[in-house]
Protein backbone atom coordinates (compact mmCIF):
# COMPACT_ATOMS: atom_id res chain seq x y z
CA UNK A 1 0.00 0.00 0.00
CA UNK A 2 1.22 3.51 -0.68
CA UNK A 3 0.22 7.11 -1.11
CA UNK A 4 -0.25 8.52 -4.59
CA UNK A 5 2.44 10.96 -5.62
CA UNK A 6 0.20 13.24 -7.66
CA UNK A 7 -3.26 14.65 -7.03
CA UNK A 8 -6.24 12.90 -8.56
CA UNK A 9 -9.05 14.61 -10.33
CA UNK A 10 -12.18 13.18 -8.71
CA UNK A 11 -14.86 15.77 -9.23
CA UNK A 12 -17.49 16.92 -6.77
CA UNK A 13 -20.97 15.67 -7.55
CA UNK A 14 -23.06 17.86 -9.85
CA UNK A 15 -26.54 17.16 -11.15
CA UNK A 16 -25.48 14.08 -13.16
CA UNK A 17 -26.99 10.67 -12.71
CA UNK A 18 -24.92 7.62 -11.81
CA UNK A 19 -25.03 3.87 -12.27
CA UNK A 20 -23.95 3.25 -8.72
CA UNK A 21 -23.42 5.20 -5.50
CA UNK A 22 -21.02 3.79 -2.93
CA UNK A 23 -21.80 4.98 0.61
CA UNK A 24 -18.64 4.86 2.75
CA UNK A 25 -15.32 5.40 0.94
CA UNK A 26 -12.96 3.67 3.35
CA UNK A 27 -10.52 0.80 2.98
CA UNK A 28 -13.26 -1.22 1.25
CA UNK A 29 -15.64 1.31 -0.29
CA UNK A 30 -13.03 3.29 -2.25
CA UNK A 31 -11.48 0.27 -4.04
CA UNK A 32 -15.00 -0.97 -4.72
CA UNK A 33 -16.01 2.37 -6.24
CA UNK A 34 -12.84 2.33 -8.36
CA UNK A 35 -13.49 -1.24 -9.51
CA UNK A 36 -17.00 -0.28 -10.68
CA UNK A 37 -15.60 2.77 -12.45
CA UNK A 38 -12.87 0.71 -14.12
CA UNK A 39 -15.63 -1.59 -15.36
CA UNK A 40 -17.22 1.36 -17.15
CA UNK A 41 -19.91 2.45 -14.67
CA UNK A 42 -20.62 6.04 -13.67
CA UNK A 43 -19.85 6.09 -9.96
CA UNK A 44 -20.74 8.48 -7.14
CA UNK A 45 -18.80 8.06 -3.90
CA UNK A 46 -20.55 9.27 -0.74
CA UNK A 47 -18.71 9.82 2.54
CA UNK A 48 -19.74 11.95 5.52
CA UNK A 49 -16.15 12.75 6.43
CA UNK A 50 -14.92 15.84 4.54
CA UNK A 51 -11.35 14.94 5.54
CA UNK A 52 -11.69 11.60 3.79
CA UNK A 53 -13.10 13.26 0.65
CA UNK A 54 -10.22 15.73 0.65
CA UNK A 55 -7.74 12.86 1.03
CA UNK A 56 -9.35 11.12 -1.95
CA UNK A 57 -9.28 14.28 -4.04
CA UNK A 58 -5.61 14.86 -3.25
CA UNK A 59 -4.69 11.20 -3.74
CA UNK A 60 -3.32 10.85 -0.19
CA UNK A 61 -5.06 7.56 0.56
CA UNK A 62 -3.71 4.15 1.52
CA UNK A 63 -4.33 2.02 -1.58
CA UNK A 64 -2.69 -0.66 -3.64
CA UNK A 65 -0.70 0.76 -6.57
CA UNK A 66 -3.25 -0.53 -9.04
CA UNK A 67 -6.04 1.36 -7.25
CA UNK A 68 -3.90 4.51 -7.14
CA UNK A 69 -3.63 4.25 -10.92
CA UNK A 70 -7.40 3.96 -11.14
CA UNK A 71 -7.93 6.90 -8.81
CA UNK A 72 -5.51 9.07 -10.80
CA UNK A 73 -7.27 8.17 -14.03
CA UNK A 74 -10.79 8.57 -12.64
CA UNK A 75 -12.39 11.73 -13.94
CA UNK A 76 -15.32 11.26 -16.26
CA UNK A 77 -18.05 9.39 -14.49
CA UNK A 78 -16.41 9.43 -11.07
CA UNK A 79 -17.46 11.98 -8.46
CA UNK A 80 -17.49 12.24 -4.68
CA UNK A 81 -19.87 13.99 -2.30
CA UNK A 82 -20.57 14.42 1.40
CA UNK A 83 -24.30 14.74 0.71
CA UNK A 84 -26.06 11.41 1.43
CA UNK A 85 -29.23 12.47 -0.40
CA UNK A 86 -27.21 12.46 -3.65
CA UNK A 87 -27.32 8.65 -3.56
CA UNK A 88 -30.86 8.93 -4.94
CA UNK A 89 -29.29 9.95 -8.28
CA UNK A 90 -27.84 6.48 -8.72
CA UNK A 91 -29.56 3.38 -10.09
CA UNK A 92 -27.89 1.27 -7.43
CA UNK A 93 -26.45 1.86 -3.98
CA UNK A 94 -23.67 -0.05 -2.23
CA UNK A 95 -23.40 0.48 1.53
CA UNK A 96 -19.91 -0.02 2.88
CA UNK A 97 -19.60 1.76 6.22
CA UNK A 98 -17.69 0.63 9.31
CA UNK A 99 -19.10 -1.93 11.73
CA UNK A 100 -16.73 -1.78 14.72
CA UNK A 101 -17.14 -2.87 18.33
CA UNK A 102 -16.87 -0.55 21.33
CA UNK A 103 -14.44 -0.88 24.24
CA UNK A 104 -16.75 -3.47 25.80
CA UNK A 105 -16.61 -5.52 22.58
CA UNK A 106 -20.26 -4.74 21.85
CA UNK A 107 -21.20 -3.99 18.19
CA UNK A 108 -21.34 -0.29 17.44
CA UNK A 109 -24.10 -0.04 14.86
CA UNK A 110 -24.26 3.74 14.61
CA UNK A 111 -22.61 4.12 11.20
CA UNK A 112 -24.47 1.17 9.72
CA UNK A 113 -27.87 2.25 11.05
CA UNK A 114 -27.22 5.81 9.84
CA UNK A 115 -26.17 4.80 6.34
CA UNK A 116 -29.06 2.35 5.94
CA UNK A 117 -31.56 4.94 7.19
CA UNK A 118 -30.19 7.41 4.64
CA UNK A 119 -30.32 4.90 1.80
CA UNK A 120 -33.87 3.88 2.71
CA UNK A 121 -35.06 7.49 3.07
CA UNK A 122 -33.70 8.48 -0.36
CA UNK A 123 -34.41 5.23 -2.22
CA UNK A 124 -36.38 5.55 -5.41
CA UNK A 125 -38.39 3.10 -7.45
CA UNK A 126 -36.24 0.73 -9.47
CA UNK A 127 -33.18 1.15 -7.26
CA UNK A 128 -31.01 -1.79 -6.15
CA UNK A 129 -29.48 -1.46 -2.67
CA UNK A 130 -26.72 -3.83 -1.58
CA UNK A 131 -25.41 -3.91 1.96
CA UNK A 132 -21.78 -5.04 2.07
CA UNK A 133 -20.67 -4.12 5.60
CA UNK A 134 -20.12 -7.13 7.84
CA UNK A 135 -22.97 -7.34 10.36
CA UNK A 136 -25.28 -9.58 12.40
CA UNK A 137 -27.75 -11.91 10.71
CA UNK A 138 -30.94 -10.02 9.92
CA UNK A 139 -29.29 -6.60 9.42
CA UNK A 140 -30.41 -6.28 5.79
CA UNK A 141 -33.98 -7.05 6.71
CA UNK A 142 -34.14 -4.89 9.83
CA UNK A 143 -32.10 -1.90 8.70
CA UNK A 144 -33.05 -1.74 5.00
CA UNK A 145 -36.06 -3.83 3.99
CA UNK A 146 -38.26 -2.75 6.89
CA UNK A 147 -37.83 1.01 6.53
CA UNK A 148 -38.30 0.69 2.75
CA UNK A 149 -41.51 -1.25 3.28
CA UNK A 150 -42.61 1.34 5.83
CA UNK A 151 -42.19 3.97 3.07
CA UNK A 152 -44.61 1.96 0.93
CA UNK A 153 -41.96 0.54 -1.40
CA UNK A 154 -42.38 -3.17 -2.18
CA UNK A 155 -39.07 -5.00 -1.77
CA UNK A 156 -38.54 -7.29 -4.76
CA UNK A 157 -40.91 -5.26 -6.95
CA UNK A 158 -40.27 -1.54 -6.45
CA UNK A 159 -36.81 -1.75 -4.88
CA UNK A 160 -34.28 -4.57 -4.75
CA UNK A 161 -32.37 -5.30 -1.58
CA UNK A 162 -29.51 -7.73 -1.00
CA UNK A 163 -26.50 -8.50 1.15
CA UNK A 164 -23.09 -9.27 -0.33
CA UNK A 165 -20.16 -9.39 2.08
CA UNK A 166 -16.87 -7.74 1.18
CA UNK A 167 -13.83 -9.99 1.09
CA UNK A 168 -11.21 -7.46 0.12
CA UNK A 169 -7.84 -7.83 1.83
CA UNK A 170 -6.22 -4.36 1.97
CA UNK A 171 -2.48 -4.44 1.32
CA UNK A 172 -2.64 -7.81 -0.41
CA UNK A 173 -2.07 -7.59 -4.16
CA UNK A 174 -1.90 -11.34 -4.70
CA UNK A 175 -5.67 -11.51 -5.25
CA UNK A 176 -7.15 -8.84 -7.52
CA UNK A 177 -10.45 -7.49 -6.24
CA UNK A 178 -12.12 -8.69 -9.44
CA UNK A 179 -10.88 -12.26 -9.00
CA UNK A 180 -12.34 -12.84 -5.54
CA UNK A 181 -15.79 -14.48 -5.84
CA UNK A 182 -18.67 -12.55 -4.29
CA UNK A 183 -21.43 -14.19 -2.29
CA UNK A 184 -24.86 -12.64 -2.85
CA UNK A 185 -28.11 -13.18 -0.98
CA UNK A 186 -31.30 -11.25 -1.79
CA UNK A 187 -34.42 -10.43 0.19
CA UNK A 188 -36.20 -12.12 -2.76
CA UNK A 189 -34.88 -14.05 -5.80
CA UNK A 190 -35.35 -10.95 -7.97
CA UNK A 191 -33.37 -8.91 -5.45
CA UNK A 192 -30.54 -11.46 -5.68
CA UNK A 193 -30.68 -11.35 -9.47
CA UNK A 194 -30.44 -7.56 -9.54
CA UNK A 195 -27.61 -7.49 -7.02
CA UNK A 196 -25.71 -10.20 -8.91
CA UNK A 197 -26.19 -8.25 -12.15
CA UNK A 198 -24.67 -5.18 -10.51
CA UNK A 199 -21.74 -6.89 -8.77
CA UNK A 200 -21.06 -9.03 -11.83
CA UNK A 201 -20.08 -5.84 -13.65
CA UNK A 202 -16.67 -6.13 -12.00
CA UNK A 203 -16.58 -9.37 -10.00
CA UNK A 204 -15.52 -12.32 -12.12
CA UNK A 205 -17.39 -14.91 -10.11
CA UNK A 206 -20.61 -14.80 -8.10
CA UNK A 207 -22.09 -17.30 -5.71
CA UNK A 208 -25.75 -16.71 -4.95
CA UNK A 209 -27.24 -18.08 -1.74
CA UNK A 210 -30.89 -18.47 -0.83
CA UNK A 211 -31.30 -15.38 1.35
CA UNK A 212 -29.66 -12.21 2.63
CA UNK A 213 -29.39 -13.91 6.02
CA UNK A 214 -27.37 -16.81 4.53
CA UNK A 215 -24.99 -14.28 2.97
CA UNK A 216 -24.67 -12.42 6.29
CA UNK A 217 -23.89 -15.68 8.10
CA UNK A 218 -21.35 -16.65 5.43
CA UNK A 219 -19.22 -13.63 6.26
CA UNK A 220 -19.49 -14.33 9.99
CA UNK A 221 -18.36 -17.91 9.40
CA UNK A 222 -15.38 -16.83 7.28
CA UNK A 223 -14.00 -14.45 9.86
CA UNK A 224 -14.92 -16.54 12.90
CA UNK A 225 -13.03 -19.41 11.27
CA UNK A 226 -9.98 -17.18 11.07
CA UNK A 227 -10.37 -15.94 14.65
CA UNK A 228 -10.64 -19.46 16.06
CA UNK A 229 -7.60 -20.61 14.09
CA UNK A 230 -5.54 -17.60 15.17
CA UNK A 231 -6.41 -18.32 18.81
CA UNK A 232 -5.52 -21.99 18.26
CA UNK A 233 -2.15 -21.30 16.68
CA UNK A 234 -1.33 -18.78 19.42
CA UNK A 235 -1.90 -21.61 21.91
CA UNK A 236 0.38 -23.84 19.88
CA UNK A 237 3.00 -21.07 19.96
CA UNK A 238 2.78 -20.93 23.77
CA UNK A 239 2.97 -24.72 24.01
CA UNK A 240 5.90 -24.86 21.58
CA UNK A 241 7.84 -22.33 23.64
CA UNK A 242 7.29 -24.45 26.75
CA UNK A 243 8.44 -27.55 24.88
CA UNK A 244 11.39 -25.65 23.39
CA UNK A 245 10.18 -26.00 19.84
CA UNK A 246 10.05 -23.44 17.04
CA UNK A 247 6.36 -23.09 16.25
CA UNK A 248 7.05 -21.64 12.79
CA UNK A 249 9.00 -24.75 11.84
CA UNK A 250 6.11 -26.89 13.08
CA UNK A 251 3.49 -24.89 11.16
CA UNK A 252 5.51 -24.98 7.95
CA UNK A 253 5.91 -28.74 8.30
CA UNK A 254 2.19 -29.23 8.92
CA UNK A 255 1.44 -27.08 5.87
CA UNK A 256 3.16 -29.59 3.59
CA UNK A 257 0.03 -31.72 3.98
CA UNK A 258 -1.92 -31.07 0.78
CA UNK A 259 -5.39 -31.43 2.35
CA UNK A 260 -7.16 -30.85 5.65
CA UNK A 261 -4.74 -28.22 6.97
CA UNK A 262 -4.47 -24.49 6.38
CA UNK A 263 -1.57 -22.58 7.96
CA UNK A 264 -2.25 -19.72 10.38
CA UNK A 265 0.61 -17.91 12.11
CA UNK A 266 0.80 -16.72 15.71
CA UNK A 267 1.37 -13.11 16.73
CA UNK A 268 0.83 -10.35 19.28
CA UNK A 269 -2.97 -10.40 18.80
CA UNK A 270 -5.37 -9.77 15.97
CA UNK A 271 -6.01 -6.29 14.63
CA UNK A 272 -7.90 -4.59 11.85
CA UNK A 273 -11.54 -4.13 11.32
CA UNK A 274 -12.51 -7.78 10.89
CA UNK A 275 -11.10 -10.53 13.12
CA UNK A 276 -11.27 -8.75 16.50
CA UNK A 277 -14.75 -7.38 15.68
CA UNK A 278 -16.89 -9.54 13.40
CA UNK A 279 -17.35 -12.63 15.62
CA UNK A 280 -18.63 -10.30 18.35
CA UNK A 281 -21.58 -9.47 16.09
CA UNK A 282 -22.50 -13.16 16.16
CA UNK A 283 -21.86 -13.57 19.92
CA UNK A 284 -23.89 -10.43 20.68
CA UNK A 285 -26.78 -11.61 18.54
CA UNK A 286 -26.82 -15.10 20.03
CA UNK A 287 -26.86 -13.75 23.59
CA UNK A 288 -30.37 -12.47 22.95
CA UNK A 289 -31.48 -16.09 22.53
CA UNK A 290 -29.18 -17.31 25.33
CA UNK A 291 -27.28 -19.53 22.91
CA UNK A 292 -23.77 -20.27 24.07
CA UNK A 293 -20.95 -20.78 21.52
CA UNK A 294 -18.07 -21.58 23.88
CA UNK A 295 -15.46 -22.20 21.22
CA UNK A 296 -16.01 -18.83 19.57
CA UNK A 297 -16.19 -17.07 22.96
CA UNK A 298 -12.94 -18.66 24.11
CA UNK A 299 -11.19 -17.70 20.88
CA UNK A 300 -12.35 -14.09 21.08
CA UNK A 301 -11.35 -13.83 24.75
CA UNK A 302 -7.92 -15.24 23.96
CA UNK A 303 -7.50 -12.77 21.08
CA UNK A 304 -8.56 -9.85 23.28
CA UNK A 305 -6.09 -10.91 26.01
CA UNK A 306 -3.09 -11.43 23.74
CA UNK A 307 -1.66 -7.85 23.89
CA UNK A 308 -1.72 -8.08 27.70
CA UNK A 309 0.25 -11.28 27.40
CA UNK A 310 2.92 -9.51 25.31
CA UNK A 311 3.41 -7.01 28.13
CA UNK A 312 3.55 -9.72 30.79
CA UNK A 313 6.14 -11.53 28.72
CA UNK A 314 8.14 -8.30 28.34
CA UNK A 315 8.07 -7.95 32.14
CA UNK A 316 9.28 -11.55 32.49
CA UNK A 317 12.07 -11.20 29.93
CA UNK A 318 13.38 -8.01 31.57
CA UNK A 319 13.06 -9.56 35.01
CA UNK A 320 15.27 -12.43 33.84
CA UNK A 321 17.88 -9.74 33.14
CA UNK A 322 17.48 -8.42 36.66
CA UNK A 323 15.39 -5.37 35.89
CA UNK A 324 11.77 -4.28 35.78
CA UNK A 325 9.58 -2.62 33.20
CA UNK A 326 9.58 0.66 35.13
CA UNK A 327 12.19 2.91 33.58
CA UNK A 328 13.09 0.39 30.87
CA UNK A 329 13.65 1.68 27.35
CA UNK A 330 11.39 -0.35 25.03
CA UNK A 331 11.35 -0.06 21.24
CA UNK A 332 8.46 -1.55 19.29
CA UNK A 333 9.20 -2.60 15.72
CA UNK A 334 6.13 -2.10 13.54
CA UNK A 335 2.81 -0.94 14.95
CA UNK A 336 0.33 -1.35 12.06
CA UNK A 337 -2.09 -4.22 12.57
CA UNK A 338 -0.53 -6.19 9.72
CA UNK A 339 2.41 -5.91 7.33
CA UNK A 340 2.45 -3.43 4.44
CA UNK A 341 -0.47 -1.25 5.63
CA UNK A 342 -0.64 1.95 7.64
CA UNK A 343 -3.90 0.85 9.29
CA UNK A 344 -3.81 1.03 13.09
CA UNK A 345 -7.39 0.04 13.78
CA UNK A 346 -7.52 -2.44 16.67
CA UNK A 347 -3.76 -2.91 16.34
CA UNK A 348 -2.47 -4.85 19.37
CA UNK A 349 0.45 -2.37 19.43
CA UNK A 350 -1.81 0.40 20.73
CA UNK A 351 -2.82 -1.57 23.81
CA UNK A 352 0.73 -2.87 24.28
CA UNK A 353 2.06 0.71 24.29
CA UNK A 354 -0.56 1.87 26.80
CA UNK A 355 0.16 -1.06 29.10
CA UNK A 356 3.93 -0.59 28.88
CA UNK A 357 3.55 3.12 29.67
CA UNK A 358 1.26 2.32 32.61
CA UNK A 359 4.01 0.01 33.92
CA UNK A 360 6.48 2.91 33.77
CA UNK A 361 8.42 1.91 30.66
CA UNK A 362 9.79 4.50 28.22
CA UNK A 363 8.26 3.48 24.90
CA UNK A 364 9.38 4.34 21.38
CA UNK A 365 8.32 2.78 18.10
CA UNK A 366 9.58 2.48 14.57
CA UNK A 367 7.19 1.90 11.65
CA UNK A 368 7.94 3.07 8.10
CA UNK A 369 4.21 3.09 7.31
CA UNK A 370 2.96 4.90 10.44
CA UNK A 371 4.65 8.28 11.02
CA UNK A 372 2.63 9.01 14.15
CA UNK A 373 -0.04 7.49 16.35
CA UNK A 374 -2.37 8.20 19.26
CA UNK A 375 -3.07 5.34 21.62
CA UNK A 376 -6.43 4.56 23.17
CA UNK A 377 -5.09 6.17 26.36
CA UNK A 378 -4.42 9.39 24.42
CA UNK A 379 -0.61 9.16 24.22
CA UNK A 380 0.83 10.67 21.04
CA UNK A 381 4.02 9.17 19.63
CA UNK A 382 6.01 9.64 16.44
CA UNK A 383 8.00 6.94 14.70
CA UNK A 384 11.72 7.13 15.57
CA UNK A 385 14.84 5.91 13.83
CA UNK A 386 15.40 2.37 15.11
CA UNK A 387 18.31 1.70 17.46
CA UNK A 388 19.25 -0.40 20.45
CA UNK A 389 17.04 -0.43 23.56
CA UNK A 390 16.74 -2.35 26.82
CA UNK A 391 14.14 -4.44 25.01
CA UNK A 392 12.97 -4.51 21.41
CA UNK A 393 9.54 -5.98 20.73
CA UNK A 394 9.03 -7.21 17.15
CA UNK A 395 5.35 -6.55 16.40
CA UNK A 396 4.67 -6.03 12.67
CA UNK A 397 7.05 -7.59 10.12
CA UNK A 398 6.81 -4.98 7.34
CA UNK A 399 9.10 -5.69 4.41
CA UNK A 400 10.37 -2.11 4.63
CA UNK A 401 11.53 -2.43 8.27
CA UNK A 402 15.16 -1.40 8.59
CA UNK A 403 16.85 -4.22 10.53
CA UNK A 404 20.46 -3.42 9.69
CA UNK A 405 21.07 -1.98 13.18
CA UNK A 406 19.61 -5.03 15.00
CA UNK A 407 22.70 -6.71 16.45
CA UNK A 408 22.87 -10.23 17.83
CA UNK A 409 23.34 -8.95 21.38
CA UNK A 410 20.08 -6.93 21.31
CA UNK A 411 17.43 -8.42 23.64
CA UNK A 412 14.46 -9.11 21.37
CA UNK A 413 10.96 -10.22 22.32
CA UNK A 414 9.70 -11.74 19.09
CA UNK A 415 5.92 -11.46 18.85
CA UNK A 416 6.14 -12.12 15.09
CA UNK A 417 7.85 -15.52 15.39
CA UNK A 418 10.06 -14.54 12.44
CA UNK A 419 13.41 -14.02 14.17
CA UNK A 420 14.27 -17.51 15.37
CA UNK A 421 17.97 -18.34 15.50
CA UNK A 422 19.07 -14.98 16.90
CA UNK A 423 21.21 -15.14 20.03
CA UNK A 424 19.13 -12.97 22.42
CA UNK A 425 15.75 -13.54 20.83
CA UNK A 426 12.93 -14.86 22.98
CA UNK A 427 9.64 -15.99 21.54
CA UNK A 428 6.38 -14.52 22.78
N1 LIG B 1 -11.00 -3.26 6.05
C1 LIG B 1 -11.08 -4.55 5.72
O1 LIG B 1 -10.07 -5.25 5.61
C2 LIG B 1 -12.42 -5.18 5.45
C3 LIG B 1 -12.48 -6.36 4.69
C4 LIG B 1 -13.72 -6.95 4.42
C5 LIG B 1 -14.86 -6.35 4.95
N2 LIG B 1 -14.77 -5.21 5.71
C6 LIG B 1 -16.01 -4.60 6.19
O2 LIG B 1 -16.32 -3.51 5.34
C7 LIG B 1 -16.99 -2.46 6.09
C8 LIG B 1 -16.26 -1.14 5.88
O3 LIG B 1 -14.95 -1.27 6.41
P1 LIG B 1 -13.78 -0.27 6.04
O4 LIG B 1 -12.53 -0.93 6.53
O5 LIG B 1 -13.86 0.17 4.63
O6 LIG B 1 -14.15 0.98 6.98
P2 LIG B 1 -13.43 2.41 6.98
O7 LIG B 1 -13.50 2.87 8.39
O8 LIG B 1 -12.11 2.32 6.30
O9 LIG B 1 -14.32 3.33 6.08
C9 LIG B 1 -15.62 3.59 6.26
C10 LIG B 1 -15.96 4.96 5.66
O10 LIG B 1 -17.37 5.14 5.83
C11 LIG B 1 -17.60 6.50 6.15
N3 LIG B 1 -18.92 6.60 6.79
C12 LIG B 1 -19.28 6.24 8.04
N4 LIG B 1 -20.60 6.42 8.22
C13 LIG B 1 -21.09 6.91 7.04
C14 LIG B 1 -22.38 7.27 6.58
N5 LIG B 1 -23.46 7.16 7.37
N6 LIG B 1 -22.51 7.73 5.31
C15 LIG B 1 -21.42 7.82 4.50
N7 LIG B 1 -20.18 7.48 4.89
C16 LIG B 1 -20.02 7.02 6.13
C17 LIG B 1 -16.44 6.88 7.02
O11 LIG B 1 -16.24 8.29 7.04
C18 LIG B 1 -15.28 6.12 6.37
O12 LIG B 1 -14.59 6.92 5.43
C19 LIG B 1 -17.00 -2.96 7.54
O13 LIG B 1 -18.22 -3.57 7.80
C20 LIG B 1 -15.89 -3.98 7.59
O14 LIG B 1 -16.10 -4.95 8.59
C21 LIG B 1 -13.58 -4.60 5.94
Amino acid sequence: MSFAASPVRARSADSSTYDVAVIGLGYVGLPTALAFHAAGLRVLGVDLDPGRLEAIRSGRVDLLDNDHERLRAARDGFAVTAEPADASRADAVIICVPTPVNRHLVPDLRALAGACATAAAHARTGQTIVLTSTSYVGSTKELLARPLTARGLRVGTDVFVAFSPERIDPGNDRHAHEDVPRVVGGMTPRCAERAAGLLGRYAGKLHTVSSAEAAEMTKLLENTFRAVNIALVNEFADASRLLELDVTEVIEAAATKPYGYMPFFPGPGAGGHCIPCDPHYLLWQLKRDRLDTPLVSAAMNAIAMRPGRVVERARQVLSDQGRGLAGADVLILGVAYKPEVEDLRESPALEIIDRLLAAGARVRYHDPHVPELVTEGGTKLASVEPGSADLVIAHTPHQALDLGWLHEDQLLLDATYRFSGRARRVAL
Side-chain angles (χ1 to χ4, degrees):
M1 305 279 268
S2 64
F3 287 120
S6 56
V8 295
R9 295 176 295 170
R11 290 177 308 142
S12 295
D14 50 25
S15 56
S16 317
T17 55
Y18 296 89
D19 298 309
V20 60
V22 178
I23 300 183
L25 295 175
Y27 274 94
V28 176
L30 181 57
T32 304
L34 293 170
F36 274 122
H37 185 255
L41 275 69
R42 288 164 297 146
V43 179
L44 176 65
V46 183
D47 200 296
L48 292 184
D49 179 359
R52 179 69 182 166
L53 294 183
E54 189 40 45
I56 293 169
R57 287 194 188 100
S58 65
R60 291 197 59 77
V61 276
D62 194 15
L63 286 172
L64 290 173
D65 291 344
N66 176 40
D67 282 328
H68 269 305
E69 284 302 313
R70 286 180 170 177
L71 186 53
R72 269 195 288 267
R75 177 159 180 78
D76 293 334
F78 187 86
V80 293
T81 177
E83 180 45 67
D86 285 344
S88 64
R89 291 199 268 119
D91 293 338
V93 176
I94 299 276
I95 299 172
C96 197
V97 296
T99 45
V101 292
N102 67 19
R103 291 191 73 182
H104 302 279
L105 303 178
V106 173
D108 176 352
L109 290 163
R110 286 173 298 177
L112 185 67
C116 288
T118 301
H122 299 288
R124 58 174 169 77
T125 305
Q127 218 173 31
T128 301
I129 307 177
V130 185
L131 182 55
T132 68
S133 299
T134 308
S135 189
Y136 67 91
V137 174
S139 300
T140 312
K141 184 178 186 177
E142 287 172 18
L143 300 176
L144 276 176
R146 276 200 195 136
L148 287 164
T149 307
R151 275 192 55 203
L153 290 163
R154 289 166 300 163
V155 172
T157 307
D158 301 327
V159 282
F160 305 92
V161 179
F163 185 84
S164 176
E166 254 303 343
R167 288 168 153 177
I168 198 168
D169 187 10
N172 179 350
D173 56 8
R174 289 191 302 278
H175 304 281
H177 202 173
E178 287 79 354
D179 296 341
V180 179
R182 285 205 75 135
V183 171
V184 185
M187 291 304 302
T188 69
R190 279 189 73 198
C191 292
E193 239 171 67
R194 290 286 191 113
L198 171 69
L199 295 164
R201 293 295 299 271
Y202 82 82
K205 204 165 176 191
L206 298 161
H207 179 92
T208 301
V209 291
S210 63
S211 62
E213 288 80 1
E216 290 161 345
M217 191 62 156
T218 302
K219 180 67 185 182
L220 294 176
L221 173 61
E222 286 172 16
N223 280 354
T224 303
F225 169 83
R226 287 172 64 197
V228 168
N229 277 285
I230 288 168
L232 176 69
V233 83
N234 282 344
E235 280 193 10
F236 262 77
D238 298 349
S240 297
R241 183 166 61 78
L242 187 79
L243 300 170
E244 297 183 0
L245 292 165
D246 176 357
V247 70
T248 308
E249 181 189 8
V250 172
I251 294 165
E252 283 168 357
T256 59
K257 185 177 175 182
Y259 49 88
Y261 183 81
M262 179 186 287
F264 283 79
F265 291 89
H273 208 131
C274 297
I275 309 303
C277 303
D278 298 352
H280 287 296
Y281 278 71
L282 179 68
L283 292 171
W284 169 80
Q285 164 160 48
L286 297 180
K287 270 198 186 125
R288 190 184 55 192
D289 295 318
R290 307 294 184 259
L291 179 65
D292 194 15
T293 47
L295 191 62
V296 182
S297 298
M300 295 311 288
N301 285 340
I303 282 174
M305 285 160 59
R306 194 79 177 161
R309 185 183 169 80
V310 176
V311 176
E312 279 322 300
R313 190 82 177 109
R315 191 190 299 281
Q316 216 173 53
V317 168
L318 282 169
S319 153
D320 290 347
Q321 306 298 313
R323 66 169 308 165
L325 265 179
D329 175 26
V330 180
L331 175 74
I332 302 182
L333 275 186
V335 290
Y337 87 86
K338 68 173 181 175
E340 319 323 328
V341 298
E342 60 169 70
D343 195 349
L344 277 172
R345 289 175 303 174
E346 315 288 335
S347 173
L350 299 176
E351 185 179 336
I352 291 168
I353 292 171
D354 273 340
R355 283 177 179 264
L356 288 170
L357 289 171
R362 285 177 290 124
V363 184
R364 297 173 296 142
Y365 82 89
H366 170 69
D367 191 315
H369 294 280
V370 184
E372 51 197 29
L373 61 79
V374 183
T375 67
E376 184 107 321
T379 301
K380 288 184 188 162
L381 292 176
S383 178
V384 297
E385 283 305 311
S388 57
D390 295 329
L391 178 67
V392 170
I393 302 178
H395 181 280
T396 315
H398 293 302
Q399 280 171 23
L401 272 186
D402 169 13
L403 298 174
W405 59 275
L406 189 60
H407 303 299
E408 280 292 324
D409 58 357
Q410 171 63 60
L411 185 59
L412 176 72
L413 173 56
D414 181 11
T416 66
Y417 300 88
R418 310 268 178 111
F419 290 87
S420 52
R422 296 185 70 89
R424 297 190 73 212
R425 173 260 189 196
V426 286
L428 171 61

